[in-house]
Amino acid sequence: MTLLTDSPVAALPPEAGVDALAKLLRGRRVVVLTGAGISTESGIPDYRGPETRHKVRNPIQHREFLHQPEVRQRYWARSLLGWPRFTTARPNDAHFALTALEKADVVPGLITQNVDGLHHAAGSERVLELHGALSRVRCLACGAQEPRASLQARMLGLNPDFAHTLVELRPDGDAELSQEAVEGFRVPACTRCGGTLKPDVVFFGDNVAAPLVQDAFALVEEGDALLVVGSSLTVYSGYRFVTRAAERHMPIGILNIGESRGDGLADVRVEAKAGEVLPRLAQALTRT
């Protein structure tokens, strides 16, 4: 029985963590919730990991993007520069381990807070992307969709001098760029209606679409256990599935570097990189 406590169970190191998670999850259908921490080993930074939590980051706010043209200009200028490095990211051992668990019918599906598409790239089939995917762009006026790669070509055509600017990649697939550098950046419009384009992701301050939330809750209901990988669970969009699992008295495992909001609900906590633990866990859970 999983209960919220003031004193979470102690976090285990990798070796002991594999054994403890295997014991907790063996023989159960394991729903997996992933966050940015699973993709840091693929070169994509996060917001709250040990290497980034000390940095001051100002993620794009939904309302500001909708109503302030200068915010959209800044976002797309940064995105033009961050996109090439973002697209070079490849799935790591942790992604492939979850794919193996899905194929072995241990994992019925994944819920991810990530927008990088790496679960799909690794071969996972049932992936609920809570916050959307950066690979798509949509028009806020007519709803038309465009591949992000196509928009990249259009932005480069309008802003050829930006192509060789050196920048630091940000977690959302954009990049650090001064306001001075943004001035004069030309933002493409929808090719169908001339409307405003937005990446098909959920910005801070926006809500996950209700049907997708319902699908995610339904997936949790299919499982016998929940495994959280690489998430601090600070954002409620992911944390709510942990509380639902606790309400259902499902065993909960958390694999993360650093503390998480759900630690008081966990039966097993492991402090390690996902790539260290998940491949060995997959072997343990699929061993006949």
Side-chain angles (χ1 to χ4, degrees):
M1 180 175 179
T2 307
L3 297 172
L4 178 62
T5 67
D6 293 326
S7 302
V9 295
L12 299 172
E15 198 66 44
V18 171
D19 293 338
L21 286 174
K23 182 178 180 180
L24 181 74
L25 304 176
R26 185 173 287 114
R28 293 186 163 104
R29 287 172 60 79
V30 184
V31 175
V32 180
L33 170 64
T34 67
I38 196 173
S39 294
T40 55
E41 293 172 73
S42 294
I44 298 176
D46 57 11
Y47 274 108
R48 302 177 184 89
E51 301 300 324
T52 55
R53 61 173 57 125
H54 64 284
K55 294 185 178 181
V56 178
R57 297 202 186 268
N58 297 306
I60 293 291
Q61 300 293 319
H62 177 69
R63 182 176 295 275
E64 294 177 354
F65 187 92
L66 292 185
H67 300 293
Q68 299 180 30
E70 66 274 16
V71 171
R72 295 195 293 271
Q73 181 188 46
R74 184 172 69 250
Y75 173 80
W76 286 118
R78 290 176 169 181
S79 180
L80 181 147
L81 297 173
W83 180 249
R85 287 184 57 198
F86 190 83
T87 58
T88 63
R90 295 293 180 264
N92 60 57
D93 289 345
H95 295 102
F96 288 118
L98 293 179
T99 300
L101 286 170
E102 183 184 35
K103 290 181 177 179
D105 293 325
V106 174
V107 169
L110 306 172
I111 304 167
T112 186
Q113 297 170 285
N114 300 338
V115 295
D116 52 40
L118 292 181
H119 285 301
H120 286 298
S124 291
E125 295 185 2
R126 191 179 181 188
V127 182
L128 301 181
E129 296 174 311
L130 286 180
H131 297 160
L134 279 176
S135 61
R136 303 184 300 267
V137 177
R138 63 182 176 86
C139 176
L140 296 177
C142 71
Q145 290 197 5
E146 178 179 0
R148 178 62 182 79
S150 171
L151 181 64
Q152 182 75 3
R154 294 206 288 131
M155 287 196 293
L156 284 171
L158 291 173
N159 305 277
D161 292 341
F162 268 71
H164 304 294
T165 306
L166 297 177
V167 293
E168 178 187 355
L169 184 65
R170 288 162 50 95
D172 294 324
D174 55 352
E176 299 289 352
L177 191 63
S178 69
Q179 182 57 40
E180 292 75 17
V182 172
E183 294 177 1
F185 184 84
R186 299 176 64 189
V187 180
C190 174
T191 57
R192 177 186 293 179
C193 74
T196 297
L197 295 175
K198 177 183 176 295
D200 197 14
V201 300
V202 177
F203 284 140
F204 281 79
D206 194 9
N207 296 315
V208 179
L212 181 55
V213 174
Q214 293 171 1
D215 288 345
F217 276 127
L219 178 55
V220 173
E221 297 290 331
E222 290 183 31
D224 306 310
L226 178 70
L227 176 62
V228 179
V229 180
S231 178
S232 65
L233 299 172
T234 302
V235 180
Y236 181 69
S237 66
Y239 178 66
R240 59 182 148 193
F241 303 113
V242 181
T243 60
R244 174 63 63 86
E247 291 168 358
R248 296 188 64 235
H249 307 303
M250 295 169 62
I252 298 172
I254 295 180
L255 169 58
N256 190 52
I257 296 179
E259 297 179 351
S260 85
R261 186 180 180 184
D263 287 349
L265 295 170
D267 297 280
V268 173
R269 293 173 56 215
V270 182
E271 179 107 11
K273 293 181 178 180
E276 290 183 76
V277 171
L278 287 183
R280 287 187 285 169
L281 179 63
Q283 289 182 344
L285 293 180
T286 57
R287 187 179 301 128
T288 58

